[in-house]
Amino acid sequence: MKEGPRFAARRLPAAVRILCLPLAGVLIASLFKAAPSIGGIIPSPWDLLAHLSFYGVIGILIAAGLRGLPFWLPFLLTCAVGAADEIYQSFLPGRVAGLDDFTVDVLAAALATWLVYRSLRR
């Protein structure tokens, strides 16, 4: 029986899973490293799309790397990164922490982890 693309997506190779968490860590570190200099680059409301994309990728990487653990763990970890980012921004000159940004971060985390868990369960 031929395996379709959906079936192949369910089984992540161990090497891919092992690399997901370090890659998420690199993205998170780059977020905090670049935070002082990237404020205002993307105008509102497009910055929300950037938040959705960035935290979606982080959520996917964390969920794929923690495959087999409960859904809520990667979701909460991704939300914690979003909260830490907003708190950090509140201390930076020229940056503003926003509830709208954090709300989009939480939405991205929920969507990303749900998509990973749904695709891996089928």
Side-chain angles (χ1 to χ4, degrees):
M1 186 172 181
K2 187 176 177 182
E3 293 182 8
R6 282 189 174 176
F7 184 77
R10 280 186 264 159
R11 296 179 300 147
L12 288 175
V16 172
R17 284 190 23 230
I18 290 170
L19 290 175
C20 285
L21 292 178
L23 184 55
V26 168
L27 288 175
I28 293 165
S30 69
L31 171 71
F32 288 98
K33 174 74 173 152
S37 61
I38 60 172
I41 289 178
I42 302 173
S44 187
W46 299 106
D47 64 327
L48 297 178
L49 183 59
H51 275 263
L52 186 68
S53 302
F54 188 81
Y55 285 94
V57 170
I58 289 176
I60 287 170
L61 290 171
I62 291 174
L66 297 178
R67 180 178 164 221
L69 295 176
F71 168 84
W72 56 266
L73 185 60
F75 169 72
L76 286 181
L77 287 173
T78 307
C79 290
V81 172
D85 177 36
E86 294 305 315
I87 292 168
Y88 179 56
Q89 285 182 33
S90 71
F91 294 106
L92 296 174
R95 300 296 307 268
V96 177
L99 186 57
D100 57 340
D101 289 346
F102 181 65
T103 302
V104 172
D105 299 346
V106 170
L107 177 65
L111 184 61
T113 48
W114 177 76
L115 285 173
V116 168
Y117 275 71
R118 185 171 184 261
S119 69
L120 294 176
R121 284 185 145 194
R122 285 185 154 203

